[in-house]
Amino acid sequence: MNALEKHLANLIRAQGPLSLSHFMAEALGHPQYGYYTSQTPFGRKGDFITAPEISQMFGEMIGLWQANNWLNLGSPAKIHLAELGPGRGTLMQDALRAMKIVPGLLDAVELHLVEISPKLRLEQQEKLKDLKQPHKIQPQWHDQVSDLLQATQDAPLLLIANEFFDALPIRQFEKGPDGWHERLVGLEGDDNLSLCLAPIPCDISLIPEALHSADPGSIAEICPVGENIVAELSRHIIRHGGVALLIDYGHDRYGSGDTLQAMKDHKFCPILDHVGKADLTAHVNFQALKETAHKNGAKTYGPAHQGDFLNAVGIGARTEALLKVVQDEQKEDIISAYKRLTEAEQMGRLFKAMALSHPNLTGIIGFGA
Ligand code: SAH
């Protein structure tokens, strides 16, 4: 057993089996042994590669999209630009470079990053250090979304979250003859972590209505942390103005099934192997997030397929422009990055983009008519 597994086993001995959300929060975020706090997850050498690490065009498109929203907001003299889970800081670096083309925008920006990992904060600091000239952009880091929202009440908010919601803890329930039982992490023997079911069914109000009549054996997933963030964010945008863009892999309607997965060295592995050493993610339920946004007064756009969104924002033209200025040997990489980000069989369809805004704001692009 590694140190984190021992810690979890002790917790289970003391308190009984843990919900998957408790397990996930510890496996990813434990201050000393958690995956995001102790490993270097990204890039070709890390456990997985994300869209901003595939090509600079991804961050550039998002930067231009948010630049357009600044104009839609009437070019306010101060704007909070924020990213949730900025990873290596690549997306924000590319976004800010693209945003430079809009006169006055970078002088208005106050930059905020929400990040739990001290290691990644250092990487972000390094990546974004050149921004200080000539615009005096100095990132402020926050531990949690609620801290960010507290600090950004004096101007509208432009927020970006790429592959952040898929890392948030989920709960799972399995349908039995007498109701839905929560899936838990318990102990088998003295020190083997193993999955088990809560003996008593949960309150039915926890299960999305669309799944109430699912077949026995079905799995329902909920992400209360993600829904709570969207609720807070929606209320914030209603009060202070702004636009948020969420990009993640996931589905656009309710469905049953176990989507929790672990990944290490670019390969899937069982979720209880390599605890704290493997990434854990689950599909984002965009339908649930959309309903939460509406309940809290925000207007939503999408979810659109990532490929459609990027094409609508202009990644095709950007690809062509780059092809004109690079050496021949780089051309193939650019074309393959474009395809990887946009084509349906690659990231183009599984990944989705959804935006939230104040209901009175117009001019948001990328989501069709
Ligand atoms: N957006 C980046 C990284 C995605 S990985 C990219 O696309 O490359 C998820 C990121 O969210 C990491 O930076 C991770 O450290 C951070 N993170 C995960 N859970 C978090 C939480 N609960 N609070 C704050 N940051 C979190």
Side-chain angles (χ1 to χ4, degrees), residues 151-193:
T152 54
Q153 301 191 353
D154 59 345
L157 175 68
L158 299 177
L159 180 135
I160 299 160
N162 185 60
E163 292 211 44
F164 175 79
F165 281 81
D166 67 358
L168 298 177
I170 60 154
R171 294 175 71 179
Q172 285 187 341
F173 303 87
E174 186 176 316
K175 192 171 189 187
D178 56 344
W180 295 82
H181 295 255
E182 182 150 17
R183 295 184 86 199
L184 305 170
V185 177
L187 280 177
E188 201 175 67
D190 269 348
D191 50 12
N192 262 335
L193 297 177

Side-chain angles (χ1 to χ4, degrees), residues 36 42 50 52 83 85-87 114-117 120 143 162-164:
Y36 281 117
F42 311 96
T50 55
E83 184 174 358
V114 176
E115 176 57 67
I116 39 165
S117 158
L120 290 173
D143 292 329
N162 185 60
E163 292 211 44
F164 175 79

